[in-house]
Amino acid sequence: MRKITAGLFMSLDGVVEAPDQWHFPYFNEQMGAAVDATIVSADTLLLGRVTYDSFAAAWPEREEAGEEDADFARRLGDARKIVVSSQDRELSWRNSERLEGDLVEAVTALKQEPGGDIAMSGSVSVVRQLLAAGLLDELHLLLHPIAVRKGMRLFDEGESTIPLELVSSETFETGVLNLVYTSAEASREATYEDAKAHISQE
């Protein structure tokens, strides 16, 4: 089954909206490598409409310009890009397509298809829905030491809790925390399966 990994810039007070307005002072080689690693391992990008539009408006031009980030821009362009949008619209960036049908059903089917990892960047509303549905395998948060105090937060109010388990953590020189989480339930299931396999070998 294909793995879905979501990466988000987050402020100390949980804001994930418009990171271009507050995260750049903290961007360094460590953060660039963390972001790059998520994309490199994936051959498919799953993006919300707003994130797709911002990417499509910037990265093709950067690829064509051939400057420092041209290789990263090329990898984004070469990847299969699946856009979550309620609008039937033209997608001009190469290798782009619209996700058809119900989000949870379509992503469940997508995970069953042959292929490599699926990466997400931004796309907060989609990340929320996949977390709630138990379809997100890893959540990568770059937690910035700043309180933005306004804007959309990743975790809004809801009736049910979403238990997560910390897989790894790293502190960058800028004070940013690179945190990787997985579903606590998925982690428990994996541990249970490993235990059964171990017992069967004895």
Side-chain angles (χ1 to χ4, degrees):
M1 182 179 292
R2 304 173 75 182
K3 181 173 75 172
I4 300 182
T5 298
L8 292 164
F9 298 122
M10 177 182 280
S11 70
L12 197 59
D13 54 345
V15 174
V16 289
E17 184 180 355
D20 57 298
Q21 297 179 16
W22 46 265
H23 100 91
F24 283 116
Y26 303 93
F27 195 91
N28 63 0
E29 290 185 2
Q30 291 175 302
M31 184 182 293
V35 173
D36 193 58
T38 303
I39 301 297
V40 166
S41 64
D43 61 13
T44 301
L45 299 177
L46 180 64
L47 303 169
R49 179 187 58 80
V50 174
T51 301
Y52 174 83
D53 286 345
S54 66
F55 276 25
W59 288 111
E61 292 183 5
R62 296 182 188 181
E63 180 181 1
E64 186 176 349
E67 297 182 356
E68 184 177 351
D69 55 3
D71 184 61
F72 183 75
R74 178 187 55 77
R75 291 202 300 272
L76 291 178
D78 289 344
R80 179 188 180 191
K81 289 169 285 295
I82 303 175
V83 184
V84 180
S85 175
S86 59
Q87 304 172 358
D88 187 7
R89 53 204 293 272
E90 182 179 353
L91 303 173
S92 58
W93 198 7
R94 71 180 186 276
N95 302 323
S96 298
E97 62 192 83
R98 179 172 168 264
L99 187 73
E100 300 290 342
D102 175 76
L103 174 66
V104 171
E105 292 179 359
V107 172
T108 299
L110 180 64
K111 293 188 70 170
Q112 303 295 333
E113 293 179 2
D117 292 345
I118 302 165
M120 301 181 64
S121 179
S123 310
V124 179
S125 63
V126 181
V127 171
R128 283 177 177 172
Q129 293 176 74
L130 297 187
L131 273 172
L135 291 173
L136 192 67
D137 297 286
E138 286 186 0
L139 177 62
H140 293 223
L141 298 178
L142 289 166
L143 185 64
H144 293 57
I146 181 174
V148 176
R149 305 189 67 185
K150 61 180 179 179
M152 181 188 299
R153 289 167 170 77
L154 173 57
F155 299 108
D156 58 353
E157 292 188 7
E159 295 182 0
S160 60
T161 59
I162 302 176
L164 300 172
E165 182 167 320
L166 183 66
V167 175
S168 65
S169 63
E170 179 184 6
T171 304
F172 294 160
E173 295 173 356
T174 57
V176 171
L177 298 180
N178 181 20
L179 306 172
V180 178
Y181 292 93
T182 189
S183 165
E185 294 180 0
S187 179
R188 284 195 293 269
E189 290 176 3
T191 302
Y192 176 66
E193 292 299 326
D194 289 343
K196 286 201 303 181
H198 178 73
I199 292 173
S200 66
Q201 293 171 3
E202 292 181 344

